[in-house]
Every structure is written in structure tokens, then in C-alpha cells.
Amino acid sequence: MEEIQSQSDNYRSSSSSASSPASRVPSSNFFYLRKPGSLRQPISFEDSPEWEDTDADVRVEEGGDSINAATAPVSPSLSKLNSGSLPSPPMPEGAAVTRKTAGASVVWKDLAVTIKGKRKYSDKVVKSSNGYALPGTMTVIMGPAKSGKSTLLRAIAGRLHPSAKMYGEVFINGAKTRLLYGSYGFVDRETTLIGSLTVREYLYYSALLQLPGFFCQKKSVVEEAIQAMSLGDYANKLIGGHCYMKGLARGERRRVSIARELVMRPRILFIDEPLYHLDSVSALLMMVTLKKLASTGCTLIFTIYQSSTEVFGLFDRICLLSNGNTLFFGETLACLQHFSNAGFPCPIMQSPSDHFLRAINTDFDRIIAMCKNWQDDNGDFSSVNMDTAVAIRTLEATYKSSADAAAVETMMLRLTEKEGPLLKSKGKASNATRIAVLTWRSLLIMSREWKYYWLRLILYMILTLCIGTVFSGLGHSLSSVVKRVAAIFVFVSFTSLLSIAGVPALLKEVKIYASEESNQHSGALVFLFGQLLSSIPFLFLISISSSLVFYFLIGLRDGFSLLMYFVLNFFMCLFVNEGLLLAVTSFWQNIFWSILTLVTIHVVMMLSAGYLRIRNELPRPMWKYPLSYIAFHTYSIQGLLENEYLGTNFAVGQVRTISGLQALHSAYDISQSSNSKWENLLVLFLMAIGYRILVFVLLHFHVRKNVSLHRIWQCRKSTT
């Protein structure tokens, strides 16, 4: 304790010197946001303000579904409820009144989270955290990087991965219950948006995916979400930009991701890092918007790493974490007093959040150690020489014995002693509706994204023209058989290989699915059917245009039925290949490894397709069994050759003739049966179904697991 006291005094003296009267800027230039109606008075963060003896007493109205707050004197350490720190701007005449939301109280008691290691649950990310959040307020979980902020937020929301174990209790309106669908919203740190849709279109499709009922009833919900997040000026702009229209900035994109959750009209909204990658102006605009949202009655809980002084003034309560330990929970102004009482007063010219993080971030020890010999014009590079671990222990010990902690315990007891109204689950849209919405949305995306299928169509046409002109003028003699086999093999193989250009678009679709599935807006089966139905028109357009060019340039047999079989066969080839692309992309979820894997698979399938060496002559252990039977190239080429040569004869001299089957024997193996080409088409269809089943399994298990593992990796990173 003597060591702690001595180093604390040293820290106090160094901080006081930074804010001494001799070096102070006039405090009239430094303002802090207060309750609406009160004067904006300058505050020195070095000196503690006058705290009023007030606390929040929560009661539930009989027959109502909201919690009202009254004030009663309890603790001299808690300031007034700061739920209205920033007055909302006046509404213009004729503007729609913002819809009020019945929020819910949230209490977490002795909450701890451990992450499963190689042998047991050993990595403790959050350690015995206590706190609460009230309707109409903003509660922020703040701390340096790797402090467990996101883990605590996910634990409160009930969104931890099964490999993470949670201890403690979470109360919603005084009852120990989990949050149900529609009663809360959760916004991840990074949300995948659809850049080719406008803000209004994106939110409208999200509403159709989330809410039951008729389409016309959801327009008002979308307009409310747009108004709540101040997106009216951007409602008809594309989100991610287009070749002829600029997209939204990061601040607006972040507000769109929050608005997506607001279409459910949630009682509680969890946001992981709302200011992630935002500049100071966008951050302030975001927090003012969230403050306006909280004023409607919604309970807001979010994490934040760092904020400016203006943003800090908007918070109602702060939960300060360091290495999973709670160093403070309470009103924002009371946190300043807590640091001052512990011997760490905030200098006048320093942001409160910067000061908090400076005192509890262990990374600063390394910086000071690196720079301890550096000198500048004013002396040492850093005048602070206190060990951060000592500061953390001092702050934690001071908080546990303070009146603030006792007041928090009292408030938690009041919030949990009587159960309020239970939050009800909202209905979901039916699977049939979701499939229809995803199909139409995907069709709209594909039609607008020229890189999606239009570029592929152009590339297919160019490749087909190249192949057709190289193999043109073959004629119908016996000597042209081998060349026709080569042309069909090159056509099927190279066009299948070219389809790898669609990997980026498919990868984006998988990421959108993962983002929507995490919030139960979609499902594996729904996504699979939507993607399947929307891709069919574009694949058929590619197949019929490419087939017509190739068919007539090569000069294949005349006959409408023969031409239609060629188109259908090539369509099924593309259909199977699209399933293979989607399966590999879903497995890797990485563009480099997906393309590398697909190129390898296609090359191996081309080697075993039976053209470079007849299937019966391939080495049996590997190339014939099973590779030649797995390769879809084999069945597509066989079907096209059977369509071209079964029932044909070639004259050898003036008397003898041989069948097309005999003419092909030395170049490729085909069946003698007239139905074999339809059997090959059936095999292609079954392979397409098989790949889709594999995609369903990967989406249902592997994609969800990868998303959860990414969250767990973030949790593990917070403990290192």
C-alpha cells in the first residue's frame, strides 16, 4: 500500500503540474454539456464538481410496459441522471413526431466470461462485472484495446459462442430471462452492407426479411428508421457507390447498419463500437443521433474505445474496463470525481476519455520505457512515471470501497426486486416470403452490379468467339471428328474455368448472409433458394448466348432439338460449376484461397475428363476412380458428343461406312445408347443438387462457426 500511495502521489503531482494555474488556458474556453435547460458552465476536470444527492428510483407502472425513473437522495457520489445532456434540435413545422419506444431495464450481476482454451476454460476475459442500463439512457462500456468490452456486451446480449462460458446473471425488467427475437437489436463492429442498393431500398428489404405482415405496412417502419438515424438526405443514394454515383461516407454507412436494426423497433439496442473508423465530426454526429434515439425511450448499450470531450458529455453512464476488471461504473461526471479521489485528476486541457485510457492502458508502460531517454524543449518526453498496473489496482480498490459502488448495488437491488413486464418475441417473416424477397433482391443486385454477371457475359462471349474462330471451317468429314472433340473439350473446360471470375461476387453474398444470419434475418435454406432462383436467369442468358455463337461458328449438326440440348447441357454445366464455386467460397470465405482451390480443382478435372487420355486408359487408383467420375466436365463433354455423333455415319472410300461412335472411339469414349445423353444430363442435375446440399451444410455449420470463431478470436485478443 505504501508503494501504491507513493506512486499515486507522484502521479498526482505530475498531473497537477500539467494543469497548474501558471500553465492553464482560461477555463472559459472549455465547456461541458449539461442537462437541457441548464446553463453551460465551464468545468475544470482537475477539480471535482458539486455533486447533488440524487439517484434513480425505478418503478414499473401497473398495466404499462415501460419503466419510469424518479429521483431520491441516496449517494453523494452520484450526479444527476444525465439522460438529456444534449437538447434535441427543434423540429420543423409539419415534421412527423418521433415514435416513442418503451425501453427496458438491463442489469448484469457478477458477470464473468471465460474462453475455452486447449484443455479447459482458462482464459478469463471479463471478471465479475456489475452494472445496469435504464430506458432512455446511453450506457457506454469503455476501455483500452484488449480489455473485454465487446465480450461483456455480447454476454449481456446473450450472443456469446458456445465455446465461451458465462457466469453471473442478467436481468431484463427485473426478470432473469434471455432476450427474444425482435425485443433487441445488435449491431456488430463491421456490418456488410449491399452497395448497389439505396438506403431506402436496403432498409425496406431488411424490413421484409425481419417483419411479418404485408409489404405496405413496412414502409412506415422504414421511414421511421431513416428519420431516427437522420438519413433523410441520403435515403435515395446508393450505399456503396456505383460507376456513375458516389457512395456514402463511413459515418452514414454506420448509421445505415444501425437503422437496419431499428426497423424491428427494439426495446434495447446493443452497438459494438459505433464510432469505429469515424472521424471526429462523424463521431459527434453519430453520438448526437444516438442521443436523439435514446430520448425516444430506447435503452442503448454500446462499447467505445475513445471519444472527444464533446462525445464524452453525451454519455449517461460509463462502465470502465481494464483487462476484464471493472474499474468504475456510474455517471460520467462521477467517473471524473472517482479518478480524482484515487489520485488521478484529469488535467484541464485533456479529454476525460483520453485521461482514463492513459491511466489504465498498459501499453503506455512500453511507450514510456522506449522514450524515457528522449528529451524535448520542455524536458522529459513523458512526465508520468507511475506503473499502470499500480494505477489499475489503485482505481479498482478505490471503486470497491467507494459510495459509487454501494449506490450501484442499491440500484441493482431496486431494479431486480420486482419483475416488470416481460419482453415478448416478435413474429418473423415466413420462409416463403424471405425466399421471394432474397430472390428479388439478388436479381436487382445482379442487374445493377456490372461486375457480377454482365462482365462475365462479356468475357464468355469474347472467349466463345475466340474458340469458335480458331475451330471454324472444320466441315463434316471423318478427319474433322478429332478437331470437333478438341473444340468441345476446350469450350466446356475454358468456360468453366472462366466462371472463377464470379468468386468476388459470391464471396460478398456469403458475407451478407453471415451478417444477416447472425441477427436471425435469414437462414441457410432461405439464402440457398434465393441465390439459386436469382442466378438461373443470368446463367441461362450466358448459356444460350455462348452456345449460339459456338454452335454456328463450329458448324455442328443442324436441328432445333440438337441445338436446344446443347444449350441445356451447357446450362447444367454452368449450374453445377456455380454450385462448386459457392461451396468452395463458403468453405474458405477468402478470395485468395477460394480462387487457388478452384483453379486446382478445375485443372485436375480437365486432366481426368477423358480427352487428354481416354477414361479406360487412365490409371485406375486415382485418376479413373474417383476423379474421372467426380469431374462434371466428363458428363458434359460426353453428352455434347453423343448429341453430335450418335446416329451419324461417315463414308470410308466408296463402299464402306462407319458410325459416329466408331469414329469417336480413338478420341473419346461415348455410349451406344440413344438415351445416354439424357443420362449424362441427369447426372449433371444430380451433381448440381449435391453441391447445393454441400453448400447448405457449409452455410449452416461452417460459416456460422467461422463468424463465431472470429468473435472468439477477438475475445482471446482482448486477454493477450
Side-chain angles (χ1 to χ4, degrees), residues 194-505:
I194 304 175
S196 55
L197 298 180
T198 65
V199 172
R200 183 173 278 112
E201 288 173 342
Y202 177 75
L203 295 179
Y204 184 56
Y205 283 120
S206 296
L208 294 177
L209 289 174
Q210 298 178 56
L211 299 171
F214 298 102
F215 290 176
C216 59
Q217 298 175 346
K218 302 173 185 178
K219 292 184 178 179
S220 61
V221 179
V222 172
E223 296 304 322
E224 287 179 11
I226 291 174
Q227 178 187 350
M229 295 310 297
S230 302
L231 290 167
D233 295 337
Y234 310 96
N236 295 319
K237 292 186 178 180
L238 293 176
I239 294 175
H242 205 267
C243 57
Y244 55 84
M245 187 179 294
K246 186 179 179 180
L248 301 181
R250 283 179 174 175
E252 285 75 36
R253 290 172 62 89
R254 195 71 175 128
R255 280 186 277 154
V256 170
S257 63
I258 297 174
R260 187 187 73 171
E261 299 304 313
L262 293 183
V263 298
M264 287 292 293
R265 291 172 177 165
R267 306 281 194 90
I268 308 168
L269 184 60
F270 300 92
I271 311 176
D272 191 7
E273 295 282 1
L275 308 184
Y276 188 60
H277 282 171
L278 298 187
D279 58 76
S280 58
V281 176
S282 299
L284 181 58
L285 180 59
M286 170 67 76
M287 295 312 303
V288 170
T289 305
L290 292 179
K291 191 69 178 179
K292 179 183 174 183
L293 175 63
S295 66
T296 64
C298 184
T299 305
L300 265 65
I301 307 175
F302 54 90
T303 64
I304 197 169
Y305 171 72
Q306 200 169 13
S307 68
S308 63
T309 305
E310 292 84 358
V311 169
F312 181 81
L314 298 176
F315 303 150
D316 295 305
R317 290 177 187 83
I318 179 173
C319 177
L320 194 61
L321 294 181
S322 180
N323 294 330
N325 298 296
T326 301
L327 304 186
F328 177 81
F329 181 88
E331 308 296 328
T332 52
L333 293 180
C335 189
L336 290 168
Q337 179 65 37
H338 168 64
F339 269 71
S340 182
N341 293 339
F344 309 101
C346 181
I348 181 94
M349 295 304 297
Q350 190 170 0
S351 168
S353 64
D354 290 343
H355 175 64
F356 297 159
L357 297 179
R358 166 63 189 87
I360 65 176
N361 194 344
T362 56
D363 291 336
F364 276 101
D365 293 338
R366 186 173 57 210
I367 296 175
I368 294 173
M370 292 171 57
C371 306
K372 62 182 179 180
N373 295 324
W374 290 8
Q375 300 288 327
D376 57 18
D377 296 337
N378 298 322
D380 293 340
F381 179 83
S382 175
S383 60
V384 179
N385 54 12
M386 181 177 184
D387 185 73
T388 306
V390 178
I392 292 174
R393 292 198 299 269
T394 304
L395 289 166
E396 186 177 9
T398 304
Y399 173 67
K400 288 181 179 179
S401 59
S402 67
D404 294 323
V408 171
E409 293 288 343
T410 303
M411 175 58 77
M412 292 170 57
L413 182 62
R414 292 181 178 180
L415 290 172
T416 56
E417 64 184 358
K418 182 180 178 181
E419 292 188 7
L422 296 177
L423 301 187
K424 297 180 181 180
S425 175
K426 297 182 180 179
K428 298 181 181 180
S430 64
N431 285 337
T433 301
R434 288 182 170 183
I435 291 173
V437 171
L438 285 181
T439 301
W440 182 252
R441 189 181 73 177
S442 297
L443 284 170
L444 184 61
I445 295 171
M446 293 174 185
S447 63
R448 290 182 180 178
E449 293 259 2
W450 64 274
K451 294 180 181 179
Y452 208 118
Y453 278 105
W454 301 119
L455 180 61
R456 290 172 62 183
L457 176 62
I458 295 173
L459 293 177
Y460 271 101
M461 293 298 296
I462 294 175
L463 178 62
T464 307
L465 283 171
C466 293
I467 298 173
T469 52
V470 167
F471 289 95
S472 61
L474 296 180
H476 294 275
S477 63
L478 182 61
S479 60
S480 67
V481 172
V482 176
K483 297 177 183 178
R484 286 176 185 271
V485 174
I488 291 176
F489 171 80
V490 170
F491 175 73
V492 172
S493 301
F494 283 26
T495 52
S496 299
L497 189 63
L498 187 61
S499 64
I500 297 177
V503 167

Side-chain angles (χ1 to χ4, degrees), residues 107-126:
V107 176
W108 59 97
K109 184 178 180 182
D110 298 328
L111 196 62
V113 179
T114 57
I115 303 298
K116 189 175 183 179
K118 294 183 178 180
R119 297 182 180 179
K120 60 180 180 179
Y121 291 89
S122 56
D123 300 331
K124 205 165 189 178
V125 182
V126 179

Side-chain angles (χ1 to χ4, degrees), residues 181-203:
Y181 175 80
S183 63
Y184 77 104
F186 193 98
V187 183
D188 279 304
R189 182 180 304 175
E190 294 183 1
T191 303
T192 304
L193 304 177
I194 304 175
S196 55
L197 298 180
T198 65
V199 172
R200 183 173 278 112
E201 288 173 342
Y202 177 75
L203 295 179

Side-chain angles (χ1 to χ4, degrees), residues 144-158:
K146 312 169 189 177
S147 61
K149 303 185 300 294
S150 298
T151 305
L152 177 58
L153 186 74
R154 293 186 178 279
I156 299 171

